[in-house]
Amino acid sequence: MHLPHQRGPLHDLPDTPDAYDAVLADATEQALARLTPEGCLEHPDALDDVGDTSLGITSLLALAWQRGQDPRLPRAVRRSLAFHLRERVYTEDNPGYPNLRITDSGLPYARYVLEAGAHPIGDWPSTVWALLQAVNVLDAAGGLLTDEQRTELRELAHGYWRRLTEVTFFNPQEAGNQAIGCVVGGLMLAPHLPDGEGESVRSRALALYTEEIRAHRVRDRGALLPPEHGGAYDNNYGPISLSFLAQAHRVSGEEVFAEDGDTLARYLDARLTNGGFDNGGPRYSEQHSGFESVLGLRYFGARIGADLGRYRGDTRWGRHAVQRDGRIDGHFAFMLVWQIQDTTRWHRTPSAAPARHQLRSGAVSVAFDSRMTPSLVEADGTYYLPAAVRRQHGFGPVADGFLLCRPMGRVRVRDVRAGGLTAKLVTKPVVGRDHVLRHVRSLYVTDGTALWVTVAVERLDGAPYLLSGLPYAADDGDRVRRTAEGAVASAGGLRLTHPTDTGPDHFDARAELAQEQAAFALAADPRGYGNPDEGWRHLVGSTALEADPAPGTPDGLHVFAVRYGPGGPFAPAFHGDEPGLTVRTEAFTAVLGDPAGDALGEPGLTLSV
């Protein structure tokens, strides 16, 4: 079973001017063949996300005419724009839509579903998208539109803006990408309006960003991020927000968009594996966007010097939205317009700066959550999620069924590089069920091929083990497939266990079930609207790698040692002395200093090949 949405890295798609002209040429031929006598360019199978789509394809035709001067296009642009102005502009309130501050305003909006009252929940973002499609057509209007059409379209766009910012509650779905998109629409509309009106719209757009978006950012892993459906980051919508921030900076020059984009980009770089796999989020836990993400990943990857294009997008939407038959849909067409207009090229080498919430080298990566517990481990092309035991999730020592990974105090981190090795030492105080405060020292070392993890903690009662992850997925060419195994070695005994209980709160990695499906089954709200991360937190137990303590460890300590990835025999040695704990493996020697021996209580780490 392959994961449906995580496919190829987005930087694998050619982005030269010739490649984009070929994309536009294909879109042109599809559009001209589809254009109805009425001027409609909508895909015949489109049912939702439809109110702006004909106008979106119109904007692509306008851009194609700008670049190639195809003589067939001016008439097609005028006919299709006339269709939108005549058939897809709604001014009567949609029955059942509750997010109105003013009723019967008469101002225009776009519908998510064309039938009145059928599904009005998406009308706000559909109106944002219609505004963005409209301003793209206005930007390309010279020589294409009649004066009457141009005036009518400008007035319509201004009406959309007023509907979004005066008539409805702003950002009713608490979706950062939609809200920033609205701000971008205002910034792009402003130059098309008379001076006084234009300056008013621009000022209002900047104020909305500051007061309604930036002031409500959510903290995750040390970064302040635009909220997506109530959470900090969503791997479908988060990169789309990054694209909107890129466009906001491109069209306004306001530094705040660059600063916030840099923050989001560094956060994304830290959570993203080398192979581009990611999961987790408040809306779609492992769905990925495609072309909608390209502008932001490329623009801010270049700004921060990181290879964000490794992000695995849904390449079925690699150029533009499509329906099931693979034919073009106009949804989100503005993003294709913007990425064609932007001349930034992909930054293809990893950032060299160490990141607190990431360890990365070669084909190995560890992404850490806010508690500095691994949220995703990648080695040898296999991805490991935090396992679950008795409703506790993470990587760490387990004693009497209690997982010791939640910090009770300050978490300290030390990054070291030496002789081609990259290492991170994480020290955190934890409290067990016995109320005893213990220091858990977790050492992560990689040579870019394998990952060595050593965890030391004061001796535990009973038969402790190290919860070492849930093998979940593996690279398979240009796809990611589900798996239930991985190449892992342990200094002590190693077991791969599976839940004996059944039901949605027990996840067996051998089943053909995606994490996203399992998470939504446990979420409080319907699939697509609930928070799968919250649902996943209700997981009681999962498939898990369990590593026993290593033999021959110093008195008073339990030490666990595992290696992810390829390698020969694995028999690390441990020695305790006054400086701390010495760990010797086939690849390195590390000395973990005793925090009590440092004047500031900082953990020491030395590393040698």
Side-chain angles (χ1 to χ4, degrees):
M1 168 187 171
H2 286 108
L3 299 180
H5 300 283
Q6 305 219 18
R7 296 175 181 248
L10 289 177
H11 64 201
D12 287 353
L13 295 168
D15 63 347
T16 62
D18 287 346
Y20 280 133
D21 283 337
V23 172
L24 287 175
D26 176 62
T28 294
E29 296 307 320
Q30 289 192 50
L32 293 177
R34 178 185 299 170
L35 186 66
T36 69
E38 296 78 21
C40 178
L41 288 171
E42 292 161 6
H43 192 288
D45 295 336
L47 297 175
D48 53 24
D49 267 325
V50 69
D52 66 295
T53 61
S54 182
L55 187 58
I57 295 183
T58 301
S59 74
L60 294 179
L61 296 182
L63 179 63
W65 184 81
Q66 273 193 328
R67 293 169 69 89
Q69 303 292 303
D70 185 331
R72 300 173 296 171
L73 294 182
R75 183 168 180 268
V77 168
R78 292 173 193 143
R79 282 179 59 196
S80 58
L81 177 57
F83 167 81
H84 182 84
L85 294 172
R86 183 180 67 250
E87 303 289 343
R88 293 296 180 257
V89 177
Y90 298 88
T91 56
E92 293 183 0
D93 295 346
N94 202 349
Y97 189 68
N99 293 314
L100 297 175
R101 301 172 59 196
I102 303 171
T103 59
D104 300 321
S105 68
L107 288 173
Y109 66 96
R111 283 187 177 170
Y112 178 71
V113 175
L114 298 181
E115 182 184 352
H119 194 30
I121 191 171
D123 286 358
W124 200 86
S126 289
T127 304
V128 174
W129 311 153
L131 169 60
L132 295 170
Q133 317 282 28
V135 292
N136 277 342
V137 175
L138 284 172
D139 284 348
L144 275 178
L145 304 183
T146 66
D147 290 345
E148 182 181 357
Q149 277 189 321
R150 190 170 187 168
T151 299
E152 190 174 355
L153 182 60
R154 182 173 61 246
E155 292 175 352
L156 174 64
H158 195 191
Y160 283 151
W161 169 257
R162 293 187 60 201
R163 182 89 182 196
L164 293 164
T165 59
E166 298 174 20
V167 174
T168 64
F169 291 101
F170 182 79
N171 192 20
Q173 296 184 20
E174 296 183 356
N177 75 98
Q178 298 172 8
I180 304 170
C182 181
V183 167
V184 172
L187 294 172
M188 295 184 69
L189 171 65
H192 293 285
L193 300 175
D195 289 345
E197 289 182 348
E199 183 54 38
S200 175
V201 169
R202 177 185 169 89
S203 299
R204 176 68 171 145
L206 294 174
L208 284 170
Y209 183 75
T210 301
E211 298 166 11
E212 299 294 338
I213 302 171
R214 200 166 197 262
H216 298 282
R217 288 177 297 170
V218 179
R219 185 176 296 278
D220 187 42
R221 309 184 193 194
L224 284 171
L225 309 172
E228 292 296 341
H229 294 278
Y233 173 88
D234 183 287
N235 57 31
N236 182 25
Y237 293 124
I240 295 176
S241 280
L242 195 63
S243 288
F244 281 129
L245 288 168
Q247 182 67 1
H249 186 240
R250 289 182 67 236
V251 300
S252 75
E254 294 288 337
E255 193 61 23
V256 65
F257 299 118
E259 293 173 0
D260 292 353
D262 288 350
T263 297
L264 178 54
R266 290 191 180 98
Y267 169 90
L268 191 153
D269 186 39
R271 69 174 289 146
L272 193 62
T273 57
N274 290 295
F277 173 79
D278 188 18
N279 83 306
R283 184 71 180 272
Y284 297 111
S285 57
E286 54 184 357
Q287 289 192 36
H288 273 39
S289 46
F291 76 100
E292 314 100 310
S293 302
V294 167
L295 174 64
L297 295 171
R298 198 172 64 191
Y299 189 84
F300 284 105
R303 278 185 57 90
I304 69 171
D307 55 335
L308 299 184
R310 70 188 190 275
Y311 178 96
R312 281 188 183 269
D314 192 333
T315 49
R316 293 170 298 183
W317 281 36
R319 299 301 195 180
H320 46 66
V322 297
Q323 288 289 334
R324 291 183 178 180
D325 61 4
R327 292 187 295 166
I328 190 170
D329 185 298
H331 182 51
F332 255 69
F334 49 83
M335 283 294 190
L336 177 57
V337 172
W338 299 342
Q339 65 169 277
I340 292 175
Q341 292 171 337
D342 180 50
T343 59
T344 306
R345 299 277 68 86
W346 287 112
H347 182 95
R348 294 182 178 272
T349 56
S351 171
R356 177 180 174 89
H357 294 91
Q358 182 197 64
L359 174 73
R360 183 181 174 206
S361 176
V364 172
S365 62
V366 184
F368 296 88
D369 63 17
S370 293
R371 305 179 305 186
M372 287 306 296
T373 296
S375 62
L376 191 57
V377 169
E378 172 195 24
D380 196 31
T382 300
Y383 303 101
Y384 303 84
L385 303 179
V389 56
R390 297 186 183 182
R391 291 190 197 277
Q392 305 163 95
H393 299 205
F395 290 74
V398 177
D400 192 26
F402 188 82
L403 175 60
L404 297 167
C405 74
R406 292 169 297 280
M408 182 63 72
R410 182 61 61 89
V411 179
R412 309 205 191 204
V413 178
R414 177 67 62 90
D415 289 284
V416 171
R417 292 179 180 175
L421 300 172
T422 304
K424 186 183 294 284
L425 176 62
V426 177
T427 301
K428 62 174 74 172
V430 299
V431 175
R433 292 199 192 279
D434 56 7
H435 292 216
V436 175
L437 184 68
R438 295 177 173 87
H439 279 81
V440 176
R441 290 177 286 173
S442 302
L443 173 67
Y444 306 85
V445 181
T446 180
D447 61 358
T449 301
L451 171 70
W452 290 264
V453 178
T454 305
V455 179
V457 62
E458 289 89 343
R459 188 162 289 272
L460 301 164
D461 295 333
Y465 62 89
L466 183 72
L467 193 64
S468 301
L470 156 65
Y472 176 69
D475 292 334
D476 186 13
D478 61 352
R479 298 293 300 277
V480 178
R481 61 175 170 82
R482 286 277 288 102
T483 191
E485 58 186 11
V488 181
S490 172
L494 182 67
R495 299 172 298 280
L496 180 62
T497 64
H498 303 285
T500 56
D501 294 329
T502 59
D505 53 0
H506 291 83
F507 186 81
D508 191 327
R510 297 169 297 183
E512 289 196 357
L513 186 69
Q515 184 270 350
E516 178 185 3
Q517 295 170 303
F520 269 119
L522 296 168
D525 297 303
R527 181 178 173 85
Y529 298 97
N531 186 337
D533 277 6
E534 288 184 355
W536 189 251
R537 292 187 192 105
H538 294 298
L539 196 69
V540 174
S542 73
T543 292
L545 286 160
E546 301 176 356
D548 290 333
T553 57
D555 291 342
L557 286 180
H558 267 130
V559 181
F560 308 88
V562 295
R563 183 187 64 204
Y564 300 83
F570 181 54
F574 309 94
H575 177 69
D577 53 26
E578 186 174 342
L581 175 66
T582 300
V583 180
R584 290 189 176 89
T585 72
E586 71 279 15
F588 64 87
T589 297
V591 179
L592 285 61
D594 186 348
D598 182 83
L600 300 176
E602 291 291 340
L605 174 62
T606 58
L607 184 68
S608 60
V609 177

